[in-house]
Amino acid sequence: MSAKIPVTVITGFLGSGKTTTIRHLLQNNQGRRIAVLVNEFGEVGIDGELLRSCQVCDEEDATNNIVELTNGCLCCTVQEEFFPTMQQLLKRREKIDSILIETSGLALPKPLVQAFRWPEIKTSATVDGVVTVVDCEAVANGTLVGDIDALEAQRQADPNLDHETPIEELFEDQLACADLVLLTKVDMVDEATLNKVQNWLKEQLPKTVKIVPCIGGEISPDVLLGFNAAVEDDLDARPSHHDTEEDHEHDDEINSVHLILEQEFEPKELVEKLKRLAINDEIYRIKGFVAVPNKPMRLVLQGVGSRFDYFYDRQWQKEEVKQTKLVFIGRDLQLKKIQSELVDILSNLKARRFS
């Protein structure tokens, strides 16, 4: 075991805080040399770029140690995408102490972990642990799995309930594979709601799986790393909705679209536009980089439902084009429709401002 590189899989629903957690971990690595494999869903790499800008690694290390797999779910592209990437990372094993894999919000952890049984990987790497990141506020509001009280009532009434939505099944699979649940955004709810969410989660998890509250991704590496779980050898104890399927399929309607705009935006005004846009479409997540007028810093924007967060992460580099890049992840999204609606919202806001 000591000769193998430990790999920690960070999974969780869209917008739960995976990238924020990993970024904090990189900035507080306690001397560990950590490589990160980011599985974006969409062609524009936002999370990988955000991690590369953590300002801990030099440019060469950031390029070599933070790898993106874009435009495809890792659990669906294990052989085509993940395997060759892992082979390249393992060639640099003398320069790596551990590897983090951030799955997309649509990925099932179990098919990915199964790849660590392949002889070409098994001799060199092991899944040290699976950390599932859960958005406390989203669970409390019912935007992830529905109303907690209603869901619990249904569970008690019919333990064989067979009409979960695909997202609910995904959430359950992510919990079932976890060695630790990181409960984020606990500062967004009151103490009674936090206790309610924690008690509900405990009912879904084995007693050995602990729930750790977290704010802003601030969690010690000693908590996230070093499980020594060898998860690839323990998969039978981690049930999945897809265990009886040879291959699983995502809902074909879940997709991502991206916009690259030359326009600069005031943050509050843009958030108002995007909130309106989210009302009109089945959008699960909006994330990206924003060019702000008269600001030398790049703005990072992330939105889930009606909740949006943004902050400046670094200065625009001289060779960069100062653009606004946004990725929309949702159900049956159409690029032209989103573009049209965004333009309409822009026009309406300008007309209102000058009326």
Side-chain angles (χ1 to χ4, degrees):
M1 289 291 294
S2 60
K4 298 182 180 183
I5 295 179
V7 178
T8 302
V9 176
I10 310 290
T11 189
F13 195 64
L14 298 168
S16 59
K18 301 188 298 295
T19 303
T20 301
T21 300
I22 294 175
R23 195 168 194 264
H24 181 270
L25 182 60
L26 293 178
Q27 293 172 329
N28 300 272
N29 56 37
Q30 299 178 355
R32 296 176 176 89
R33 299 170 300 174
I34 301 174
V36 183
L37 198 161
V38 184
N39 181 209
E40 279 277 12
F41 189 80
E43 295 176 356
V44 177
I46 300 299
D47 294 348
E49 172 58 28
L50 185 56
L51 293 174
R52 275 190 287 271
S53 67
C54 70
Q55 299 179 345
V56 172
C57 306
D58 58 33
E59 185 175 347
E60 181 179 357
D61 285 343
T63 300
N64 292 331
N65 285 1
I66 299 176
V67 183
E68 287 180 276
L69 299 179
T70 61
N71 200 29
C73 178
L74 236 183
C75 59
C76 299
T77 59
V78 168
Q79 186 169 354
E80 297 87 354
E81 299 285 344
F82 169 72
F83 181 59
T85 302
M86 274 298 296
Q87 284 185 310
Q88 292 301 313
L89 284 176
L90 292 175
K91 288 179 181 179
R92 304 178 56 253
R93 56 184 303 169
E94 73 281 354
K95 297 182 179 180
I96 297 173
D97 295 320
S98 62
I99 298 173
L100 298 178
I101 299 178
E102 178 191 348
T103 71
S104 79
L106 301 174
L108 297 168
K110 201 165 180 177
L112 171 61
V113 174
Q114 286 173 330
F116 284 83
R117 292 176 169 177
W118 297 352
E120 297 89 343
I121 295 180
K122 186 175 179 63
T123 56
S124 302
T126 180
V127 181
D128 181 76
V130 176
V131 176
T132 298
V133 183
V134 175
D135 182 331
C136 182
E137 185 186 27
V139 173
N141 291 338
T143 56
L144 178 61
V145 295
D147 181 79
I148 294 176
D149 292 333
L151 187 65
E152 177 60 16
Q154 288 178 336
R155 189 185 72 82
Q156 294 293 338
D158 184 4
N160 297 313
L161 194 64
D162 193 31
H163 49 266
E164 300 95 342
T165 68
I167 290 178
E168 288 173 336
E169 289 186 3
L170 169 61
F171 183 63
E172 291 166 4
D173 282 2
Q174 290 174 343
L175 288 181
C177 202
D179 293 283
L180 177 79
V181 169
L182 193 64
L183 189 60
T184 60
K185 304 176 186 178
V186 297
D187 56 324
M188 306 298 291
V189 301
D190 57 33
E191 185 175 357
T193 302
L194 173 59
N195 291 333
K196 188 176 183 180
V197 171
Q198 287 182 301
N199 289 335
W200 179 79
L201 283 171
K202 287 177 182 177
E203 294 178 0
Q204 319 305 313
L205 296 165
K207 292 183 178 180
T208 55
V209 177
K210 302 302 181 184
I211 303 169
V212 179
C214 176
I215 299 174
E218 297 182 2
I219 190 77
S220 169
D222 294 331
V223 176
L224 295 183
L225 308 176
F227 288 94
N228 297 316
V231 181
E232 66 273 15
D233 297 327
D234 185 44
L235 285 177
D236 290 343
R238 302 169 191 245
S240 163
H241 286 280
H242 302 85
D243 283 344
T244 58
E245 301 175 10
E246 183 175 347
D247 293 299
H248 80 276
E249 294 182 359
H250 293 305
D251 190 325
D252 290 337
E253 296 179 345
I254 297 177
N255 67 318
S256 70
V257 299
H258 69 274
L259 292 176
I260 299 178
L261 307 169
E262 303 300 329
Q263 186 169 351
E264 297 180 341
F265 296 91
E266 292 292 345
K268 291 183 179 179
E269 186 179 84
L270 178 60
V271 166
E272 183 180 351
K273 299 177 182 66
L274 295 177
K275 284 183 179 179
R276 294 186 185 189
L277 191 63
I279 293 174
N280 298 327
D281 294 272
E282 190 75 9
I283 297 174
Y284 301 144
R285 177 91 187 273
I286 302 173
K287 57 183 179 179
F289 302 123
V290 180
V292 179
N294 303 315
K295 288 287 187 180
M297 302 288 288
R298 184 179 70 176
L299 187 80
V300 177
L301 181 144
Q302 301 185 33
V304 179
S306 61
R307 186 183 70 244
F308 282 79
D309 300 310
Y310 51 87
F311 62 91
Y312 294 98
D313 72 324
R314 64 164 174 80
Q315 287 193 335
W316 290 98
Q317 298 173 2
K318 291 182 180 180
E319 65 276 11
E320 281 184 300
V321 178
K322 194 176 179 183
Q323 296 174 318
T324 296
K325 299 180 180 180
L326 297 175
V327 174
F328 301 81
I329 302 173
R331 186 179 299 278
D332 196 25
L333 300 182
Q334 305 295 323
L335 177 59
K336 290 184 178 180
K337 184 172 183 288
I338 289 179
Q339 284 179 315
S340 175
E341 290 178 349
L342 190 58
V343 169
D344 287 344
I345 293 171
L346 278 166
S347 300
N348 291 337
L349 281 173
K350 288 179 180 178
R352 186 182 67 185
R353 186 186 304 151
F354 293 108
S355 62

